Amino acid sequence: QSALTQPPSASGSPGQSVTISCTGTSSDVGGYDYVSWYQQHPGKAPRLMIYEVSKRPSGVPDRFSGSKSGNTASLTVSGLQAEDEADYYCSSYAGDNNYVFGTGTKVSVL
Amino acid sequence: EVLLVESGGGLVQPGGSLRLSCAASGFTFSDHYMDWVRQAPGKGLEWIGRTKNKGNSHVTQYAASVKGRFTSSRDDSKNSLYLQMNSLRTEDTAVYYCARDTDAALDYWGQGTLVTVSS
């Protein structure tokens, strides 16, 4: 199972929006509505930010939103804040009880 | 408060074995699927395995990279998850996380334990 494709980096100024893409295939992202997004600060464990494409767990700011079109999922962070600077990973169910993560995107707040 | 605490990491020689543990608290452990994810130094996340709950016969699934070498198990009476790692390779060097799996999303993670495979 190949990793989902994410851009290596993305950036924006405070208050701006940034969107991260996550491209897979019809066997993973395109085939199931089980796409999740995780935020990871350096030296810390990942944190779930979005599940089932667009749902937010309790405690996650509504500045974070998710969507999907075809084989590509997206995470948008609106109103960027300094604490949003982190690595972000998408993940998708890939059938046959397997899961796959994305390659990761480093978000910088300029 | 949901808490997951991994232990058992360390330095092991290539070809060796290691057993990781994950102690869970703050939720009904037996109800949940549990997953293992690893992260090599400076690299991304890699899903490596999943152990279903008792209602699904504790069935496990593995990524191709560890299948046949790693075995995940659980003891619901001890609220614990285990990962037996055999025939370790240098490329297995990573921080290993256990995570609670809720509807195909990993909603709680441990702090991770570092496994270093080196001679």
Side-chain angles (χ1 to χ4, degrees):
Chain A
Q1 187 68 44
S2 298
L4 307 175
T5 301
Q6 297 180 232
S9 62
S11 62
S13 299
Q16 288 187 331
S17 294
V18 64
T19 296
I20 304 165
S21 62
C22 169
T23 302
T25 70
S26 58
S27 297
D28 38 61
V29 174
Y32 308 93
D33 285 335
Y34 287 117
V35 176
S36 304
W37 289 90
Y38 301 87
Q39 176 191 65
Q40 186 180 34
H41 288 108
K44 300 295 186 181
R47 174 192 178 191
L48 178 66
M49 305 302 284
I50 295 288
Y51 67 101
E52 291 180 14
V53 177
S54 59
K55 298 178 180 178
R56 269 190 318 276
S58 174
V60 172
D62 60 7
R63 303 183 292 104
F64 291 84
S65 62
S67 63
K68 189 184 85 166
S69 177
N71 296 337
T72 298
S74 298
L75 173 73
T76 297
V77 185
S78 305
L80 266 175
Q81 298 183 6
E83 60 262 34
D84 299 333
E85 185 161 294
D87 293 326
Y88 291 83
Y89 295 90
C90 62
S91 174
S92 174
Y93 180 66
D96 197 25
N97 291 298
N98 283 294
Y99 292 84
V100 61
F101 279 98
T103 50
T105 298
K106 182 177 181 62
V107 169
S108 299
V109 181
L110 304 173
Chain B
E1 178 195 9
V2 172
L3 200 59
L4 298 170
V5 180
E6 300 94 339
S7 60
L11 176 63
V12 61
Q13 291 188 338
S17 298
L18 208 58
R19 189 194 195 208
L20 306 183
S21 298
C22 170
S25 60
F27 65 102
T28 305
F29 180 75
S30 58
D31 286 348
H32 285 267
Y33 294 8
M34 296 294 296
D35 291 43
W36 290 99
V37 176
R38 69 183 179 183
Q39 186 170 35
K43 303 297 184 182
L45 302 174
E46 179 188 13
W47 177 83
I48 59 172
R50 180 199 209 199
T51 301
K52 293 186 176 182
N53 56 14
K54 182 178 180 180
N56 288 277
S57 303
H58 291 168
V59 170
T60 57
Q61 296 95 27
Y62 303 98
S65 57
V66 305
K67 198 169 186 178
R69 300 187 300 123
F70 290 12
T71 301
S72 178
S73 62
R74 60 192 294 164
D75 185 339
D76 290 349
S77 70
K78 296 182 179 179
N79 289 343
S80 291
L81 178 73
Y82 306 101
L83 185 66
Q84 178 66 42
M85 305 185 295
N86 299 329
S87 302
L88 283 162
R89 307 166 179 166
T90 54
E91 56 264 36
D92 294 319
T93 294
V95 174
Y96 284 73
Y97 295 99
C98 66
R100 190 178 82 168
D101 186 327
T102 301
D103 295 330
L106 304 181
D107 57 355
Y108 287 93
W109 297 62
Q111 85 288 351
T113 187
L114 176 62
V115 172
T116 302
V117 184
S118 174
S119 54

